[in-house]
Amino acid sequence: MSIILGIESSCDETAAAVVTSDRQILSHKLAGQETEHAPFGGVVPEIAARAHAEILTPLIQAALDEAELGLNDVDAIAATAGPGLIGGVMVGLVTGKALAMASGKPLVAVNHLEGHALSPRLVNPELGYPYLLLLVSGGHCQILRVEGVNQYRRLATTIDDAAGEAFDKTAKILGLGYPGGPKVEALAKKGDASAVPLPRPLKGSKEPHFSFAGLKSAVLRAHESGKFADVDIAASFQQATVDCLKDRLDKALLETKPVKHLVVAGGVAANGAIRAMLEQVAADNDMAFTAPPLWLCTDNAAMIAWAGVERFAAGLTDGLDVTAKPRWPLDPGATKARGAGVKA
Ligand code: KG4
Ligand code: ZN
């Protein structure tokens, strides 16, 4: 059995966790930065990096204390090395390197997206490779065929905004504050999903890619028209997002070799309406469905520690010269989506 310390600092959550290869979560600690970023309506990279630098080391100590372990008891140190806000990533990775150097333990540089992608395996021992993954977060919206640790085939990506970004922008338009996803979902429960006519960008298009920028603009126009209640805008927006995700996923399923398992991961996987749709898609295609518990969907260090477990078991450790990467696609060989902007 191996014991891995995980460190996460790529966006606005500082986190540390201790996880074992037999799926015990010995501790997981999380410090959010909502109050620091709230006045700005989004994450401010410089504020995030400073906050990570202040809180990370005591948080790692707290995670080790709760696990009743010292640094010498862990087998490796896994730290997020990208993609993300580079200042924050550097804080976590450099801390991981320093701990690895001081303890003589190996370092595992983890791709944050691989953390999300493998997190369902931490809670579901039945989930074997390969599986089809919908990865939906604040920065990413992708469909991946997960073939093994470090082995991904990207079937689709967004050509503009990520799904979480669309939730956050809708929240901003409706004056709900940051982070927007949970607030839009709560408001949507009270509204009529068919009240506001909104587009379903790329629905029916040939490749299974996503687009959400036009949906966000339509939400803005609907709000500015003054004709619709906020609850109805929230419900209609969420329904449009669900419809787009379903259409694109159905397309991807037609195009890839059958797999037994459909899996969702990333912060937007916390959304109940999206989970319900995915459960139905899985049932319609004779697939099992796995969604991690809500706390494991949004950013955390247990998923980084678990990716560390899997990489360590596969012999994938890193030297102390490994660098932090603001961009780091899971499938570097994937062809660029037509019309794609800067996001991969
Ligand atoms: O994975 P994550 O914690 O951070 C990134 O790596 O991006 O995802 C955060 C994103 C945010 O855009 C947030 O608004 C969204 O996940 N989110 C939700 C919900 N909870 C979080 N979106 C829709 N419904 C939710 N319940
Ligand atoms: Zn994330």
Side-chain angles (χ1 to χ4, degrees):
M1 187 193 69
S2 64
I3 304 175
I4 308 292
L5 169 67
I7 298 170
E8 159 61 31
S9 60
S10 66
C11 191
D12 59 346
E13 313 278 1
T14 317
V18 181
V19 168
T20 71
S21 54
D22 58 2
R23 294 182 164 82
Q24 292 178 67
I25 299 162
L26 299 181
S27 62
H28 73 95
K29 296 279 176 193
L30 192 77
Q33 306 173 355
E34 269 174 46
T35 45
E36 282 98 324
H37 299 295
F40 305 95
V43 180
V44 182
E46 176 69 19
I47 293 175
R50 283 168 187 256
H52 289 305
E54 274 170 33
I55 199 86
L56 182 58
T57 8
L59 206 68
I60 291 171
Q61 187 60 61
L64 286 169
D65 289 349
E66 190 173 302
E68 297 182 3
L69 295 172
L71 201 51
N72 287 329
D73 301 315
V74 307
D75 293 292
I77 291 139
T80 298
L85 301 173
I86 196 66
V89 175
M90 283 167 70
V91 169
L93 183 60
V94 169
T95 303
K97 285 184 188 188
L99 294 179
M101 198 173 163
S103 63
K105 307 286 179 176
L107 174 74
V108 185
V110 172
N111 183 319
H112 178 86
L113 301 175
E114 181 162 66
H116 280 301
L118 302 184
S119 66
R121 283 170 49 82
L122 168 57
V123 286
N124 184 358
E126 313 276 286
L127 175 58
Y129 299 118
Y131 54 88
L132 197 73
L133 171 74
L134 175 67
L135 177 56
V136 270
S137 71
H140 299 270
C141 189
Q142 304 187 346
I143 301 172
L144 295 151
R145 193 183 158 94
V146 181
E147 293 174 345
V149 62
N150 211 31
Q151 284 177 269
Y152 301 90
R153 245 176 43 74
R154 197 196 73 194
L155 304 175
T157 188
T158 178
I159 64 166
D160 42 55
D161 292 351
E165 210 172 343
F167 270 94
D168 293 333
K169 286 177 176 171
T170 295
K172 205 165 180 178
I173 291 166
L174 299 180
L176 300 176
Y178 182 87
K183 291 177 175 151
V184 172
E185 182 178 17
L187 203 60
K189 288 202 172 91
K190 303 178 202 153
D192 174 0
S194 61
V196 186
L198 293 173
R200 270 68 175 155
L202 293 187
K203 188 171 175 191
S205 80
K206 206 165 106 269
E207 290 158 322
H209 296 308
F210 301 96
S211 168
F212 292 101
L215 179 54
K216 174 207 65 189
S217 308
V219 165
L220 181 62
R221 283 194 299 274
H223 185 249
E224 284 177 344
S225 76
K227 286 197 283 187
F228 305 104
D230 285 0
V231 285
D232 292 337
I233 295 177
S236 302
F237 158 77
Q238 183 171 275
Q239 188 58 50
T241 306
V242 166
D243 291 349
C244 291
L245 292 173
K246 178 174 170 11
D247 179 73
R248 313 294 47 228
L249 197 56
D250 283 341
K251 182 78 189 158
L253 280 163
L254 285 177
E255 289 191 356
T256 189
K257 271 186 274 149
V259 286
K260 292 198 192 99
H261 235 107
L262 178 65
V263 173
V264 66
V268 183
N271 186 284
I274 293 173
R275 283 178 178 236
M277 174 275 290
L278 293 172
E279 233 166 281
Q280 190 58 50
V281 169
D284 291 346
N285 288 277
D286 288 324
M287 297 163 88
F289 175 62
T290 293
L294 296 191
W295 73 268
L296 198 55
C297 287
T298 45
D299 289 349
N300 65 85
M303 70 180 192
I304 303 304
W306 176 256
V309 164
E310 295 224 29
R311 291 187 79 85
F312 183 66
L316 298 169
T317 59
D318 295 271
L320 293 177
D321 57 349
V322 66
T323 52
K325 298 173 239 328
R327 283 169 52 76
W328 186 2
L330 280 178
D331 178 4
T335 49
K336 220 170 168 218
R338 239 178 321 133
V342 286
K343 296 181 187 84

